[in-house]
Amino acid sequence: MSRYETVIGLEVHAQLKTESKIFCSCSTKFGNEPNENVCAVCSGMPGVLPVLNEKVAEYATKAGLATDCEINLKSVFARKNYFYPDLPKGYQISQFELPICEHGHVDIEVDGQKKRVGLTRIHMEEDAGKNIHSAADNASFVDLNRTGVPLIEIVSEPDMRSAEEAVAYLKELRSVLLYLGICDGNMEEGSFRCDANVSVRPFGQEEYGTRAELKNLNSFKHIQKAIEYEVERQIDLVEDGEKVIQETRLYNVDKGTTHSMRGKEEAHDYRYFPDPDLVPLVLEQAWVDKWKSELPELPAAKRERFMAEYTLADYDAALITNDLAAADYFEAAVKAYPGDPKKVTNWVVGELMPFCNESGTEACAVRLVPEKLAALLSLVDDGTISVKIGKDIFRDLCASGDDPAEYVKAKGLAQMSDTSELEAMVDKVIADNPSEVEAYKGGKTKLISFFMGQVMRLSKGQANPGVVTQLFQKKLS
């Protein structure tokens, strides 16, 4: 067991789902031609003035309310000064001393242990542009489409003690933002990204160790691997009598390692000061109350309700409710299906969610709508088709949206339940496998699975398992 304790704090940048940028009317649409979504304001031309997009203030406040933050009715925008090609003004408009939200929390669960992770602050800011480096042209380019896109930065307390806790926190936070409808959570496109501050210290030591900030983390898998590598790197340094340097490090996906990028800046390095072009933002309590009344049922509450109302296991409830579209699909299917909700759970977790992950389709866009899934399960329940056939045709139905009963009829997939027809198959299997029959009668009852498999082969998977089992038990007793 390691003698060192890991300390992790995360800074999450979430792009807000507004139609226009934070301080101008340019589109926030992803994927447009480079420098298409640009105007004089977001490109930093002299003499222009920013105007706050009111939706940004609403969405930031809702994020704070959903994480039990204190909402500051007065907050101030500040200039964060640094020089980089993708920052056309030479500063970023952000918030510093007076952010819009403070002192919240996110509750997580890892290995059955619940934990509360504190939030230091949530503040609004504008995104920077994007540098594009071309080896073919031996040149670098700047795309300013992303410049001025609205972000909230969510800063946690250094409360996480493992990579697993960090990932659990990020998944829960992402779910909250998705439920609120204020962020699309797309990590590949950079709509939800994080920097991890990682340090180690001997168990029992109160003082924090020197931290390194990890960047270039765009998936939960990479976040976990980067933190695990960095923890081991820092422990090795300490064990060898060397010092951990406070710096910013990039994660190399191909090598699974981190490497130094630059020295870690402190707040004073950015020379923050209130932005003279933007007056303080003052919210009315009535607005905050209205936004609070508009909050949806959040992931944690839905998870608890699903476990109580539908008797879901912790794991299944967490898996389903982490994805709002899957949760809505599940609940609609349960309401349409007259049987046990556990069966719907098994099909949503075992069939629907893998299909969505592999096809890149959200549950709400699957053409096998919840009512049709309920119809498919009813066909299994009444013996029209077997579970195997139901699973075999599931993906076709997801793609086509066909009515399950009509599809089964058109394809001739209805299960064979005619006793006389199945009895002939059972007799053939018994006649063709005398040694297995003798072994079964001698006590090797697990051979029933072998016999069932032979009948399924003869019937091309359409034999009714219940009828076949009864026939074998009768004939072999």
Side-chain angles (χ1 to χ4, degrees):
M1 184 176 178
S2 175
R3 297 188 296 112
Y4 297 90
E5 180 179 46
T6 301
V7 178
I8 302 167
L10 297 177
E11 299 170 9
V12 171
H13 289 87
Q15 179 179 324
L16 300 178
K17 283 176 63 176
T18 58
E19 294 293 325
S20 56
K21 294 183 179 181
I22 185 169
F23 297 119
C24 67
S25 60
C26 288
S27 170
T28 58
K29 185 178 179 182
F30 181 84
N32 283 1
E33 289 297 313
N35 298 306
E36 182 177 329
N37 305 342
V38 180
C39 70
V41 175
C42 56
S43 62
M45 294 293 104
V48 296
L49 292 173
V51 177
L52 177 63
N53 181 339
E54 63 181 88
K55 271 292 177 188
V56 176
E58 175 187 336
Y59 287 176
T61 303
K62 284 183 173 179
L65 291 168
T67 51
D68 288 330
C69 285
E70 298 173 9
I71 308 301
N72 292 322
L73 296 182
K74 179 180 179 180
S75 61
V76 175
F77 286 99
R79 291 186 180 182
K80 180 180 179 180
N81 296 273
Y82 65 95
F83 296 98
Y84 212 61
D86 60 8
L87 198 68
K89 297 191 294 287
Y91 61 85
Q92 176 189 32
I93 301 177
S94 182
Q95 293 189 304
F96 183 54
E97 290 182 342
L98 288 173
I100 192 166
C101 310
E102 293 181 285
H103 314 309
H105 64 260
V106 172
D107 293 330
I108 63 172
E109 184 172 338
V110 177
D111 296 331
Q113 299 296 313
K114 294 185 177 181
K115 182 171 186 174
R116 175 160 290 183
V117 177
L119 298 184
T120 308
R121 57 192 281 137
I122 299 176
H123 64 259
M124 301 172 285
E125 64 183 23
E126 61 181 347
D127 206 347
K130 182 179 180 181
N131 291 317
I132 302 169
H133 307 292
S134 172
D137 296 316
N138 193 28
S140 294
F141 305 92
V142 179
D143 178 7
L144 297 181
N145 279 349
R146 204 172 66 183
T147 306
V149 166
L151 303 175
I152 51 173
E153 182 173 351
I154 305 165
V155 182
S156 83
E157 294 288 327
D159 288 345
M160 288 154 278
R161 296 294 177 264
S162 69
E164 290 79 11
E165 287 186 3
V167 170
Y169 164 83
L170 289 170
K171 287 182 176 180
E172 185 68 17
L173 182 60
R174 179 176 179 273
S175 291
V176 168
L177 299 180
L178 289 173
Y179 272 60
L180 292 173
I182 65 175
C183 175
D184 66 21
N186 191 317
M187 298 184 77
E188 290 185 359
E189 293 179 2
S191 301
F192 183 86
R193 57 190 192 266
C194 89
D195 301 332
N197 291 296
V198 181
S199 65
V200 298
R201 63 183 176 184
F203 275 104
Q205 176 178 301
E206 292 188 13
E207 182 183 353
Y208 292 128
T210 303
R211 72 185 188 275
E213 181 182 37
L214 307 182
K215 288 186 175 290
N216 195 32
L217 308 175
N218 63 356
S219 76
F220 296 128
K221 178 182 177 181
H222 293 158
I223 289 164
Q224 179 157 347
K225 287 184 175 296
I227 291 174
E228 289 172 346
Y229 174 85
E230 182 61 22
V231 168
E232 291 300 317
R233 185 189 74 86
Q234 292 188 20
I235 290 175
D236 287 344
L237 286 173
V238 175
E239 290 285 324
D240 291 341
E242 300 181 43
K243 288 187 176 181
V244 177
I245 299 172
Q246 184 166 322
E247 61 183 345
T248 298
R249 298 179 68 85
L250 288 178
Y251 177 62
N252 186 309
V253 175
D254 296 326
K255 295 181 179 179
T257 59
T258 65
H259 60 87
S260 181
M261 177 184 176
R262 61 172 181 263
K264 171 64 179 161
E265 301 91 343
E266 297 289 359
H268 61 78
D269 293 321
Y270 292 119
R271 305 189 316 284
Y272 282 100
F273 64 87
D275 193 307
D277 293 337
L278 287 159
V279 297
L281 171 64
V282 179
L283 302 176
E284 293 186 9
Q285 186 61 49
W287 302 347
V288 177
D289 294 341
K290 176 178 180 293
W291 294 335
K292 186 173 184 178
S293 72
E294 294 171 351
L295 295 183
E297 181 182 36
L298 294 170
K302 191 181 290 289
R303 193 173 304 130
E304 293 296 325
R305 181 171 65 82
F306 277 15
M307 288 191 289
E309 193 170 333
Y310 305 122
T311 62
L312 266 63
D314 287 2
Y315 175 81
D316 290 335
L319 197 61
I320 292 172
T321 56
N322 277 343
D323 182 339
L324 176 59
D328 288 344
Y329 186 104
F330 167 81
E331 191 149 35
V334 167
K335 290 178 180 177
Y337 177 63
D340 184 356
K342 179 62 178 175
K343 291 184 179 179
V344 178
T345 305
N346 292 340
W347 283 74
V348 168
V349 171
E351 304 298 327
L352 177 71
M353 296 183 77
F355 171 82
C356 291
N357 290 336
E358 292 167 20
S359 63
T361 307
E362 287 196 0
C364 57
V366 171
R367 300 186 70 182
L368 180 70
V369 296
E371 294 74 17
K372 289 182 179 178
L373 173 61
L376 178 63
L377 297 188
S378 294
L379 291 177
V380 174
D381 289 345
D382 65 20
T384 301
I385 59 173
S386 64
V387 173
K388 181 181 184 303
I389 289 177
K391 291 184 176 182
D392 286 345
I393 66 175
F394 182 85
R395 290 178 178 242
D396 286 344
L397 293 174
C398 283
S400 69
D402 290 340
D403 177 82
E406 293 177 2
Y407 183 93
V408 167
K409 183 178 179 181
K411 298 289 186 180
L413 297 173
Q415 194 164 239
M416 295 169 57
S417 298
D418 182 82
T419 305
S420 60
E421 192 173 1
L422 292 176
E423 189 170 13
M425 294 183 185
V426 169
D427 289 340
K428 176 174 172 51
V429 170
I430 290 174
D432 290 347
N433 300 279
S435 60
E436 284 79 6
V437 169
E438 192 66 29
Y440 177 86
K441 290 181 177 180
K444 294 186 177 181
T445 55
K446 290 184 178 179
L447 281 167
I448 192 69
S449 299
F450 167 77
F451 298 137
M452 285 290 297
Q454 296 302 303
V455 172
M456 286 299 176
R457 180 178 60 81
L458 292 172
S459 66
K460 297 181 180 178
Q462 290 178 247
N464 186 315
V467 175
V468 173
T469 300
Q470 290 177 3
L471 288 170
F472 272 118
Q473 290 174 341
K474 178 182 178 181
K475 290 178 179 291
L476 297 176
S477 60

